[in-house]
Amino acid sequence: MRVPGDKSISHRALMLGGLASGSTRISGLFEGQDILSTASAIRAFGANIRKNGEDWIVEGVGNGCLLEPEGVLDFGNAGTSMRLVMGLAGVYDMETRFTGDASLLKRPMGRILDPLRQMGVQAQAEGGDRLPIRLHGPRTANPISYRVPVASAQVKSAVLLAGLNTPGITTVIEPVATRDHTENMLKRFGAPIDITLDKQGARHISIDGQCPLKGQEITVPGDPSSAAFPIVAALITHGSDITIENILMNPARTGLIATLQEMGAVIDIENLRSQGGENVADLRVRSSDLKGVTVPAERAPSMIDEYPVLAVAASFAEGETLMQGIEELRVKESDRLAAVANALEVNGVDCTQGRDYLSVRGHPGGKGLGAMTKDARVATHLDHRIAMSFLVFGLAAEHGSLVDDASMISTSFTGFMKLMADLGANMETAA
Ligand code: S3P
């Protein structure tokens, strides 16, 4: 089987393609709702984006030449897209307005507005730096050196993208490494990027702004964050043996695979190869007897989106799984720490949540777990990863599982239900 293209790489390919001069061809682009939000924002800045056969072609405007969008940019559920575009466009001497769906309206934007304000951007937000937000850049943006206060690839990326339209050197200092797709792709499009490590191990990433960018050919590998769902499904479902082809194996994204292997998961990494500057592999996954482990806080950035589905694997493991240093889960598409803990409880799993941790005590075999009554329904809070995780949960729980909404799954994993059904899963939408 295959899963859709990587969402993080897809967003960045459209954005940099839209900014570069000349044409960018993207193959394997993820075509879910979140990426369509990026595409319509980039079109609103003047770029031309069209599909040509299986590929997408982007004709960019040239660095520094974004046009002022006419209306409000509505990013729906797509937090990554919106935060990166705030960096990309916010430093322009024009007005850009941002909004999103009910989930995005609740998410904190101060982490992006703070560095942009230091660069000279005027930001007007509703109470407490939430959406809707208006940004207006200065005549000439001010290059900054910014130490990111939270481990966030979105914040790092927003500042680097803002640096593209800023004269001089903009530097991001990242004490804890996060996914490096922005800096890799900026380099690929020809931006002068310099990366060094200081004595404390922090990464200093600098961009020399107002540089030309040139259109590229980009191949997007399969998304490891989407592969996580069939991986865990196969591990917890007796007799499974599946192979998921062409998955991105960037070490900044493979924390879940390492954790599951420590838990005793049989996951073979086959045909490891380099493709378009990234490592990809095929993953063969067989059902496995899992045991609980402690997942250290340092691993969180490399599996930040995978904790909900890890909690599902932990529900069927022997003993306790302790996930440390995961306070960032509280500001995702939902408060994922609370949403996961509630969903586990609804399904009869014993767990404890703290401000920044979750511990789960598993039931190998899944006896007694699941939706005992029609009211035992998981509240998904417009969060695709909660929905997919707790559908997967039902595969191994004695009483199956129920989620209150699956419509938002298409924001990140188009065809999820069909793909799981093709693997033999019995998932259905109630009337
Ligand atoms: C992403 C970064 C992560 C992740 C999100 C995608 C990205 O967010 O949760 O799904 O593509 O940069 P944070 O940077 O807020 O941790």
Side-chain angles (χ1 to χ4, degrees), residues 8 12 80 83-84 111 151-155 157 179 304-305 328 332 385:
S8 294
R12 289 156 170 87
T80 303
R83 287 171 167 155
L84 268 54
R111 54 180 59 197
S152 166
Q154 293 179 1
V155 176
S157 303
R179 65 190 71 192
I304 194 67
D305 291 333
E328 272 294 298
K332 295 294 175 186
R385 297 197 205 280

Side-chain angles (χ1 to χ4, degrees), residues 91-383:
V91 284
Y92 278 68
D93 182 11
M94 64 185 188
E95 183 169 284
T96 316
R97 286 172 288 156
F98 298 83
T99 194
D101 74 359
S103 152
L104 205 46
L105 289 179
K106 287 192 208 144
R107 299 183 66 183
M109 297 301 157
R111 54 180 59 197
I112 304 292
L113 302 186
D114 290 345
L116 290 183
R117 284 180 174 126
Q118 289 182 25
M119 296 177 92
V121 178
Q122 284 177 28
Q124 287 176 309
E126 299 282 299
D129 285 346
R130 308 272 149 158
L131 292 172
I133 289 175
R134 265 167 209 267
L135 297 181
H136 198 130
R139 236 192 235 139
T140 307
N142 178 31
I144 57 170
S145 175
Y146 191 69
R147 194 177 179 90
V148 284
V150 279
S152 166
Q154 293 179 1
V155 176
K156 165 177 69 180
S157 303
V159 178
L160 290 174
L161 293 174
L164 271 177
N165 191 40
T166 302
I169 309 278
T170 297
T171 302
V172 176
I173 302 166
E174 192 180 44
V176 182
T178 61
R179 65 190 71 192
D180 52 6
H181 309 305
T182 301
E183 47 272 47
N184 291 346
M185 210 177 279
L186 278 167
K187 237 189 233 164
R188 185 93 191 269
F189 277 79
I193 295 275
D194 183 55
I195 304 176
T196 54
L197 270 187
D198 68 19
K199 284 199 189 103
Q200 284 73 42
R203 290 173 82 229
H204 294 231
I205 309 148
S206 299
I207 179 164
D208 194 350
Q210 299 188 326
C211 51
L213 298 176
K214 204 166 170 311
Q216 296 296 315
E217 302 257 322
I218 306 282
T219 304
V220 183
D223 193 331
S225 299
S226 296
F229 300 102
I231 289 174
V232 170
L235 291 174
I236 64 176
T237 308
H238 194 66
S240 301
D241 183 350
I242 66 168
T243 299
I244 315 173
E245 291 175 345
N246 199 42
I247 298 302
L248 173 69
M249 293 300 287
N250 180 319
R253 300 288 299 281
T254 50
L256 176 73
I257 295 173
T259 302
L260 290 170
Q261 286 174 328
E262 281 174 21
M263 294 172 80
V266 183
I267 304 177
D268 299 325
I269 298 169
E270 298 175 346
N271 298 323
L272 189 61
R273 57 207 182 264
S274 172
Q275 179 193 287
E278 290 282 5
N279 281 342
V280 299
D282 305 330
L283 303 177
R284 180 173 177 199
V285 187
R286 281 168 276 181
S287 43
S288 309
D289 293 330
L290 301 176
K291 57 178 189 347
V293 293
T294 294
V295 190
E298 311 82 81
R299 201 177 292 161
S302 68
M303 54 177 293
I304 194 67
D305 291 333
E306 281 68 80
Y307 284 97
V309 80
L310 174 65
V312 171
S315 301
F316 301 98
E318 192 185 318
E320 182 177 66
T321 298
L322 173 62
M323 306 166 210
Q324 296 173 321
I326 55 172
E327 65 275 17
E328 272 294 298
L329 292 198
R330 296 209 180 269
V331 290
K332 295 294 175 186
E333 282 82 333
S334 66
D335 174 346
R336 280 194 181 145
L337 229 174
V340 168
N342 292 339
L344 292 171
E345 277 159 18
V346 160
N347 283 293
V349 180
D350 181 21
C351 67
T352 314
Q353 65 164 309
R355 185 187 61 81
D356 62 351
Y357 73 88
L358 178 68
S359 73
V360 179
R361 283 149 306 267
H363 299 238
K367 198 135 192 56
L369 299 188
M372 300 280 273
T373 67
K374 281 211 163 118
D375 297 329
R377 189 182 279 253
V378 168
T380 50
H381 305 284
L382 289 176
D383 189 330

